Structure formats: C-alpha cells, structure tokens
C-alpha cells in the first residue's frame, strides 16, 4: 500500500491528452482525465464480468478483509486524496468538507466490511421450511454525482463488493480525477478486475452502461431527470435499481424552539458543502412568533463562516463546483429579489471574479410558492418562509414531488414525533438536518428515488435474494 503525495497521485491519474479538470476556485487547469469510448466501456464490463465468479467464490471473511485493506489504503493517502478533491470539487480541506469526505470513505468501507448478511431461516414449523440466502447479483454499474464524488462512489462500491459483485463506476464529468484517484488507491489493494472505472459523458458512456445486458444492478445518484432516463434505459435488461435522486428538503421550526440554540444546526443543515448536498435543508418554515429571531440568529451565525479557496485552512465554505450550478443559483436569487423577497445576507455575487463563488445568502419574507422555494437551488442560499398554521406548513412541506429528507425543530419530543410522522420523506431529522450514519438506511420517498443505501438494507439492495424451500 502506498502513501501517495498529491503530485504522485495526480501523476498516476492525469493523462497528457484528455479533458481538462478545472479548479472551481481559480479557473486553473489542474490535470486532464481520459475520454473513453463505448468500446473501452465494453472491455471494462467484460473484465468485471470475468473477475466476478472468483471474487464471489472468496469467503465472506476474505472479502471483508479486502474492504478493511481498502480503508487502510484510503487512510494512508488521505491528505493527497483530500487535496485533489478540494482542487477539483472546490470544497475546503477543513470543516465538514474534503478531509471529512475522505474520512467518510474509510468509515463506509469499514462499515460494509463489518456488516455480515447471513442466510436466514424464514419458516420452520408444521407449515414448512424455507431459508433465504443473499447471492451476488453479478456486475454492478455505478453512476455518481459531482457534489460528494468520492464518498458517494464509495457508498456504491463498498456494499457491492462486500456482497460478491464486481463494479464498473462512471463518475460525474466535472469530478473525474477525484474518483480516478480514489479507485487507483483502492485498486492497489484489491484483486485485478474487481473494481473498474470508466470516464466519459453521461449521455454516451453513462447511457451505454445503463443499457448493457451484462449489468445486473445499477446504483445511480444524481438528478431526478437523469434517474428517469436510467429507468427507461435499464428496462431492456430488467436491471435492479437503486436511485438516489434530487431533494428539496423542508425544515419546520415550531414556536417553542430556541432560536439561538438551533441557529448553528440550521446553518450547517442548509450550507454543508456550500449547499451542494442532496439532503441539505433547502427551505425552512418558521412559526410567525419566532420568525424574526430565527432569521436574525441564522444570519448572525452565517456571517462569520469563512468562504474561500478550499486549500486555505480557514475556509469552511467554497465555490460552487461548476459554472452551470452558479447560473442556476444566481438566476433563482435574482428572481426572488425581483419578486420582492427580502435579502438578509448575501445575494450580490461578483460575477467577474475568478472561479464560481456565490456568497452565503439568506432570503426572508418570500412567497411560499416562489421558484426559489419550489426548486432545488443546490447552492449556498436558504429561503426562510413564515407560517402561522402548522397544518399549512406540513402541507407545504409535503406538496412537492421530492421526498428525500426533512426536519422538525422543537424542544418538545412528542410534538416532534407527531410532526415527523406526517412528513413524506426518506428521513426526518429532529433538531438537526442531514446527518448520515453508515448503519442507518438512507434514501428517498416519491421522486427522490427508491431503494435504500447503508447498513443491512444497503447490502440487501446489492444482493439477489434466493429462497431454498423444503426439507
Ligand atoms: P446528474 O446531471 O443527474 O448527473 C449524475 C451522473 O449521471 C453523472 O455521472 C452524469 O454524467 C451521469 N449522467 C448524465 N446523463 C446520463 C444518462 N443519460 N445516462 C446515464 N448517466 C448519465 O446530476 P449532478 O448534476 O451530477 O448532481 C446533482 C443532482 O444529484 C442533484 O439533483 C442532487 O440532489 C442529486 N443528488 C442526490 C443524492 C442522493 O443521495 N439522493 C446525492 C447527491 C446528489 P456527466 O456528469 O458526465 O453528465
Ligand atoms: Mg429551493
């Protein structure tokens, strides 16, 4: 296992003649990733398929040991991985950002390694006997996004390998070097052919991967729009699907909450990774009686959180990852301003500055039906909506097609549980938003996707259940 420096890692994955990877903080080119063809993808899938029987034939303990070795390898090169992630994705080294993400990769590898999925006896009585076994599916196709490129790739890779599948992964186009480097580090310790990576556009390579008859399972994290295309593409093959799609998470603050006490949690729930997080708090409904106090306290906290180049240790927020995302955020905020919403903080980007920095922005007194509220902004902007009737707030929280996360903020546990039970979402957090744990199932309701990742549910999602019945 190597302990790579940043330069060694970059040299191992960057090619002379490829697609430029651009630092979103400066606009500088940091390296080039290969642009692969459908013919190359075809060979990689063949490699994964050829390697799968021997990988599946290892004992569960042997595969678990490989995943621990993979986690060791990530930890040995953690600083180099974090630096590359910071330069390419833009997220700061510090805070809940690049080093945190690399640490999450090791943690999720170890959790998959330490979670067994043994066969179970389902019935054993006068009515009959049946056991359930969890077999590998075969080759898993994984397609990941650019916001948490390393960690989300690991969420797809780790359980798949644990269950005896082999993998072909396609990272998002703007964060290829990061995932290439991660896969390089993992492949230094994994057997050949078990983990394969392909780079190229979603429309060609991603689509070909989704359609390939040798792919038994697709794990996709990205937008709802592309998720729907993947459902259609995979139909030919009846491939199993786990879809982690978009979110527009609502939080509801009840009248008894303490504004000063919840401000920090609200801030990080919304602004983690500069707002580019699927299950970030994207619209906050606050009761009229404490509305002004909550807006003030969140703004007071937000003002002091430094945004800057990710390599500077003091930065806790970074640029948006790409120009397209900057434009989405900029347009939504301009539209809110034009509609008369109140800008409490931010909202005035320097559009001529290098990189894709958008300032931390808090918008108050906004119409609950404004598009900044109804659409996924995916950036450092939080609209705060006033409500006076809790039933109305719950109705607004539930009225969108999304249902990834949600949160309730109150010091009354019973009230929290009562409101949580009425929210349509894969997860409802109480007095926090967005925290994940490798043993707690995570996924979306409604058009935020289907299937669950993590823990035992996550392993079942990359396994083929096989019943053996009779005595
Ligand atoms: P995206 O545009 O849907 O892209 C996601 C991935 O799909 C990329 O690797 C992309 O490749 C690929 N792709 C694009 N078109 C494809 C096609 N026709 N067939 C197969 N693959 C295709 O999403 P994004 O902009 O990267 O990520 C932002 C979205 O992801 C947000 O909506 C966010 O909420 C969601 N997200 C959800 C979760 C979750 O856990 N639920 C987590 C993170 C993000 P290219 O980049 O090469 O186009
Ligand atoms: Mg929104």
């Amino acid at each position: 296992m190597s302990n790579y420096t940043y330069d060694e890692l970059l040299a191992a994955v960057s090619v002379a003649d490829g697609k430029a990877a651009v630092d979103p903080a400066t606009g500088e080119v940091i390296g080039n990733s290969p642009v692969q063809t459908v013919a190359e993808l075809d060979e990689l899938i063949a490699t994964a398929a050829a390697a799968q029987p021997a990988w599946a034939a290892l004992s569960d303990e042997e595969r678990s040991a490989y995943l621990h070795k993979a986690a060791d390898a990530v930890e040995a090169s953690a600083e180099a991985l974090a630096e590359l992630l910071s330069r390419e994705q833009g997220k700061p080294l510090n805070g809940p950002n690049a080093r945190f993400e690399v640490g999450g990769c090791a943690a999720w590898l170890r959790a998959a390694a330490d979670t067994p999925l043994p066969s179970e006896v389902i019935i054993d009585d006068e009515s009959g006997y049946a056991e359930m076994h969890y077999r590998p599916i075969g080759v898993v196709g994984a397609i990941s996004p650019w916001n948490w490129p390393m960690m989300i790739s690991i969420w797809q890779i780790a359980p798949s390998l644990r269950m005896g599948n082999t993998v072909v992964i396609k990272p998002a186009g703007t964060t290829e070097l990061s995932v290439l480097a991660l896969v390089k580090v993992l492949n230094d310790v994994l057997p050949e052919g078990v983990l394969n990576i392909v780079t190229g556009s979603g429309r060609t390579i991603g689509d070909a991967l989704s359609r390939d008859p040798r792919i038994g399972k697709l794990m996709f994290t990205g937008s709802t729009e592309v998720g729907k295309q993947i459902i259609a593409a995979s139909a030919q093959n009846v491939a199993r699907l786990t879809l982690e799609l978009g979110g527009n998470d609502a939080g509801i603050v009840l009248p008894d909450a303490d504004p000063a006490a919840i401000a920090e949690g609200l801030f990080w729930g919304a602004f983690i990774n500069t707002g580019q997080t699927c299950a970030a708090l994207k619209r906050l409904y606050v009761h009229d009686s404490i509305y002004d106090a909550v807006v003030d306290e969140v703004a007071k906290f937000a003002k002091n959180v430094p945004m800057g180049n990710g390599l500077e240790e003091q930065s806790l927020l970074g640029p948006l990852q790409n120009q397209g995302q900057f434009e989405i955020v900029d347009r939504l905020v301009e539209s809110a301003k034009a509609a008369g919403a109140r800008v409490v903080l931010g909202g005035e980007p320097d559009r001529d500055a290098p990189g894709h920095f958008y300032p931390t922005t808090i918008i108050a007194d906004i119409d609950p039906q404004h598009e900044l509220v109804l659409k996924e902004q995916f950036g450092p902007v939080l609209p705060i909506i006033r409500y006076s009737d809790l039933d109305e707030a719950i109705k607004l929280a539930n009225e969108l097609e999304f249902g990834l996360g949600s949160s309730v903020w109150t010091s009354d546990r019973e009230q929290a549980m009562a409101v949580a039970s009425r929210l349509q979402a894969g997860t409802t957090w109480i007095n926090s938003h967005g925290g994940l744990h490798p043993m707690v199932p995570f996924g979306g309701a409604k058009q935020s996707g289907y299937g669950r990742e993590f823990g035992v549910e996550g392993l079942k999602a990359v396994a083929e259940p096989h019943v053996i019945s009779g005595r």
Side-chain angles (χ1 to χ4, degrees), residues 248 282-283 371-377 383:
N248 195 353
K282 294 181 179 127
R283 45 194 179 115
E371 60 175 339
L372 175 60
V373 178
L374 302 185
K375 292 196 174 140
E376 184 183 25
Q377 64 272 44

Side-chain angles (χ1 to χ4, degrees), residues 263-264 266-268 271 293-308 314-317 343-347 359-362 380 382 384:
E264 181 174 358
L266 288 171
F267 176 82
W268 284 114
F271 290 87
V294 170
V295 170
D296 286 352
E297 290 292 341
V298 175
K300 200 165 90 185
F301 186 88
K303 240 183 6 230
N304 294 320
V305 181
M307 179 183 284
Q314 78 274 10
S315 300
L316 295 176
L317 299 168
V343 180
V344 179
L345 184 70
T360 302
T361 298
I362 293 174
L382 180 64
I384 306 183

Side-chain angles (χ1 to χ4, degrees), residues 24 85 88-91 101 143-153 170-176 178-179 220-223 273-278 319-326 328-329 356 376-379:
L85 178 60
E88 185 182 45
Q89 202 284 336
K91 64 181 66 191
E101 178 167 351
I143 300 177
S144 60
W146 48 257
N147 57 342
W148 293 88
M150 289 187 181
M151 193 156 70
I152 291 176
S153 296
K170 192 212 98 65
T174 54
T175 49
E176 290 177 340
S178 295
V179 185
F220 172 75
T221 298
S223 60
N273 200 30
T274 316
Q276 301 161 106
T277 297
C278 51
L320 288 164
Q321 204 274 324
N322 53 71
Q323 183 59 27
Q325 195 58 47
F326 178 94
I328 291 171
V329 171
H356 313 302
E376 184 183 25
Q377 64 272 44
F378 222 62

Side-chain angles (χ1 to χ4, degrees), residues 395-467:
K395 184 167 157 266
L396 290 169
N398 286 337
E399 77 181 353
L400 303 187
E401 71 275 17
F402 292 118
L404 191 55
S406 58
S407 56
V408 189
W409 303 73
T410 169
S411 38
D412 181 340
R413 171 88 194 160
E414 247 175 69
Q415 265 275 74
M417 294 302 286
V419 174
S421 71
R422 296 172 62 193
L423 291 173
Q424 299 166 355
T427 303
T428 299
W429 288 276
I430 296 174
N431 294 319
S432 71
H433 196 114
L436 302 178
H437 185 288
M439 293 309 294
V440 179
F442 174 70
K446 301 195 281 185
Q447 290 194 24
S448 290
Y450 48 72
R452 291 294 179 269
E453 297 188 273
F454 312 164
V456 173
E457 291 306 312
L459 292 177
K460 287 183 180 173
V462 283
E464 189 62 60
H466 180 190
V467 169

